[in-house]
Amino acid sequence: FQTTMDVAAEDSDQMPSGFHAKAAAKAARLRREAAKLASAAALESPGGIESRPGEWAPTQSKLLRRVAVAARPGHFELSLQYGPYSVAYDTTGRLLALCGRGGHVAAFEWRQKRLMFESQVNEPCHALTWVGAGSTPQLAVAHSNWTYIYDAQGLELHCLKRLHKANKLFWLPRHWLLAACTDTGHLHWQDVSTGQTVASYCGHHGPLRVSALHPDSGCVLTGQPNGQLCIWTPLEKRPVVKILCCPAGVRAVATAPAGHAVYTLGGDSRLRVWDIRCLRPLSVSDSGADAASIRLFDAAPQLAVSQRGLLACPVRQGAALMVLPAGGAKPLLSHPSPGRLSDLAFCPWEDVLAFGHARGLGSVLVPGSGEPNPDGAVHPLSGKRQRREAEVRGLLDKLPPETIAPPAVGGGVNAVDAEGIEEALARKRAAVMALPSDEVRQFQPRRRSGKASGELNRKVGERWQRRRMELRQLLKSKKRVLAEMGDEGADAAGGRKTKKAKKVSQSGELTKPATGTFLDRLIPKAD
């Protein structure tokens, strides 16, 4: 139906004045624009690949003939000589970075194939991640010893010596934290906005080479050789949750970007799916003997999960790539690799999967892997000004590290303990503004590391304190006695000193005191 404003806009002669006619025309124009925007903002279908019984998985050549022209830049292959390589996408899915064990570091826009920078650092690089989500993206690269941060032109900005021998780097965009797992068995959380170290703990299980980040809660998950899956937060020195998920050691861990599913690959080559909220398997097999598990023969220890729940894993000892649906055993896609696979990464908001191998970098099309409807916080088509504003909003809305907690404990970014944070701030404010007490501070010995040395230092300090007090009391008593004696006491004291200093012989002559040297034997003895 048409409203009275639309009818009035069509027939402006019926309006009482020109002002009302212009207002009606403007309202009709705004209404048409709103309807057009609503139709453009309608949710798009994700699409995907349907597997039918008796059919082989489609190859990349078949997909390239049937996909749109705008999606074809997602398939390419780079032959490089400094592998094996690690790959990483930024949060918008616009930039792709790579680093090789031979010291090769590069970043480029994969759609336009525009190179941002390329450098040779002359030392092995083990991991990398994009830091920040603004107009000036930064790249954190874990070298053989320390972790370095580079800008978009490849210039070195910072050297994080605290992140020593890191093999995994994770970026927490809501908290502006850089998490790292090291070969020395330590976990570090570094605040990128202030440069301070939030927490640094030892895992006590050897090198942490199997790790992943849960993006919803911000927790770090590590796999142990004894089959346990540990969940870490910056506020606890010990794992807050431990799950015995594999009878053998955990070889790989991956988390779903949008959800609570955790995928683990054990030493028995079985892939298991767990729910991090209830710490239980998502489903049980019909026999009831084991959790929802899939047997992957000759699987390499790498896993990657897309935004729509597709799982990518290397097979045939890393010589081929396989994509599985969520909870399915039949692969949707397979692709051979020129070299042994070393890293996997799905592109956000796009149906693209990048993989690094010993001979370079590759990228394949995976229909249905990316989310087709980007959210308002991160948009892949945002301009430079919009990215700058998003960076400022992210800094203003930065969450404190206290909000990092696993969903099983009742944490997550949606459950903030406001009362606890207010109490902690009140205690800190009271400690800073408190005035020193009027009492004289007692002597406190410096405590050293170790229980035995600390006890010994305390006893020695108490002994010296008692000795000083005794000397002070003795000095006070001497001064009091001398004051009571007066001049007579002083003369008597002086006389005693004179008698002690001078020696009179029997004949009445003063004699010098004996020297007490070895030449006394030459003096003739008196008869």
Side-chain angles (χ1 to χ4, degrees):
F1 63 93
Q2 289 182 340
T3 60
T4 55
M5 298 294 290
D6 295 336
V7 175
E10 294 176 359
D11 191 5
S12 59
D13 297 337
Q14 299 179 4
M15 303 302 295
S17 64
F19 173 78
H20 293 85
K22 291 181 180 179
K26 183 178 180 181
R29 186 179 71 255
L30 293 177
R31 196 177 299 108
R32 288 193 299 268
E33 292 179 358
K36 187 184 297 184
L37 291 176
S39 61
L43 297 179
E44 299 179 1
S45 59
I49 302 176
E50 295 182 359
S51 60
R52 299 177 182 178
E55 293 184 357
W56 293 91
T59 60
Q60 289 295 309
S61 58
K62 293 182 179 180
L63 290 177
L64 288 175
R65 289 196 299 265
R66 298 182 181 181
V67 298
V69 178
R72 294 180 181 177
H75 180 270
F76 60 89
E77 182 73 28
L78 298 178
S79 297
L80 305 172
Q81 58 180 349
Y82 297 103
Y85 280 89
S86 300
V87 295
Y89 285 100
D90 66 335
T91 55
T92 61
R94 185 175 58 94
L95 307 178
L96 176 61
L98 57 94
C99 68
R101 302 298 185 272
H104 181 209
V105 180
F108 60 97
E109 296 183 4
W110 62 270
R111 288 190 185 91
Q112 293 80 13
K113 304 298 186 295
R114 186 177 67 87
L115 181 65
M116 298 175 60
F117 74 90
E118 183 180 11
S119 62
Q120 175 60 247
V121 297
N122 296 324
E123 61 176 328
C125 299
H126 302 280
L128 77 165
T129 184
W130 288 97
V131 177
S135 58
T136 57
Q138 299 175 2
L139 183 65
V141 182
H143 291 208
S144 59
N145 287 329
W146 301 324
T147 301
Y148 295 84
I149 296 182
Y150 301 92
D151 63 354
Q153 286 75 31
L155 300 178
E156 180 184 333
L157 299 179
H158 306 285
C159 177
L160 306 179
K161 296 185 178 181
R162 191 66 180 268
L163 308 184
H164 179 58
K165 292 186 178 181
N167 53 37
K168 288 286 186 179
L169 296 176
F170 307 106
W171 166 243
L172 284 68
R174 295 191 182 102
H175 307 82
W176 282 77
L177 295 179
L178 179 63
C181 298
T182 65
D183 288 336
T184 59
H186 289 77
L187 291 95
H188 305 280
W189 285 269
Q190 187 92 14
D191 194 335
V192 179
S193 60
T194 61
Q196 298 178 354
T197 301
V198 177
S200 180
Y201 304 136
C202 180
H204 301 285
H205 287 283
L208 301 176
R209 295 192 176 95
V210 180
S211 58
L213 175 69
H214 189 258
D216 186 25
S217 61
C219 301
V220 177
L221 288 72
T222 60
Q224 308 298 341
N226 56 2
Q228 289 184 352
L229 180 66
C230 301
I231 302 178
W232 300 82
T233 62
L235 302 181
E236 298 292 338
K237 294 184 179 180
R238 300 291 180 180
V240 294
V241 177
K242 287 185 178 181
I243 311 172
L244 185 59
C245 58
C246 299
V250 181
R251 300 177 60 194
V253 179
T255 58
H260 302 281
V262 178
Y263 299 81
T264 59
L265 180 63
D268 54 352
S269 299
R270 282 193 172 273
L271 178 69
R272 295 174 174 84
V273 186
W274 300 81
D275 193 342
I276 196 175
R277 295 170 295 183
C278 57
L279 306 180
R280 293 179 180 273
L282 288 178
S283 60
V284 180
S285 61
D286 299 335
S287 61
D290 196 1
S293 61
I294 302 172
R295 186 81 176 190
L296 298 177
F297 295 96
D298 298 333
Q302 284 92 25
L303 294 175
V305 185
S306 69
Q307 292 177 327
R308 301 291 299 180
L310 299 184
L311 177 68
C313 59
V315 292
R316 303 175 191 172
Q317 296 294 333
L321 178 67
M322 185 173 62
V323 179
L324 300 173
K330 185 178 180 180
L332 297 177
L333 187 69
S334 62
H335 181 70
S337 174
R340 183 181 177 83
L341 292 172
S342 57
D343 196 10
L344 302 171
F346 277 99
C347 180
W349 323 112
E350 293 288 345
D351 297 341
V352 177
L353 171 63
F355 57 92
H357 51 84
R359 298 182 180 179
L361 169 70
S363 179
V364 295
L365 300 177
V366 183
S369 62
E371 178 65 38
N373 304 299
D375 54 7
V378 179
H379 201 284
L381 301 180
S382 58
K384 186 175 182 180
R385 182 177 179 181
Q386 294 174 339
R387 291 194 297 268
R388 188 186 303 113
E389 293 177 355
E391 183 177 8
V392 175
R393 285 197 303 268
L395 286 172
L396 295 177
D397 300 338
K398 185 181 71 171
L399 297 178
E402 289 79 7
T403 59
I404 299 178
V409 190
V413 297
N414 296 326
V416 181
D417 187 9
E419 297 180 358
I421 295 176
E422 290 295 336
E423 292 178 0
L425 292 177
R427 289 195 301 266
K428 184 177 180 180
R429 193 181 301 109
V432 171
M433 301 301 294
L435 297 176
S437 59
D438 298 335
E439 300 178 0
V440 179
R441 296 182 179 179
Q442 298 293 332
F443 173 78
Q444 295 291 339
R446 182 171 65 91
R447 296 187 63 85
R448 297 182 180 178
S449 61
K451 183 177 180 181
S453 61
E455 186 70 17
L456 180 61
N457 292 339
R458 186 183 64 81
K459 292 181 179 180
V460 172
E462 292 178 355
R463 190 185 306 119
W464 278 104
Q465 186 177 7
R466 290 195 299 269
R467 179 61 177 168
R468 283 195 294 269
M469 295 300 295
E470 292 176 1
L471 292 176
R472 290 175 184 174
Q473 295 294 336
L474 182 60
L475 181 60
K476 289 181 180 179
S477 61
K478 285 184 178 182
K479 289 183 179 180
R480 185 172 61 254
V481 170
L482 291 176
E484 293 176 355
M485 291 175 61
D487 297 339
E488 295 180 359
D491 294 342
R496 285 195 299 271
K497 292 180 181 178
T498 307
K499 291 180 181 179
K500 208 169 191 179
K502 297 182 180 180
K503 185 176 181 181
V504 182
S505 62
Q506 296 180 358
S507 61
E509 296 179 357
L510 296 175
T511 59
K512 296 182 179 180
T515 58
T517 62
F518 70 97
L519 297 178
D520 293 344
R521 71 182 71 178
L522 302 179
I523 301 176
K525 299 181 179 180
D527 295 337

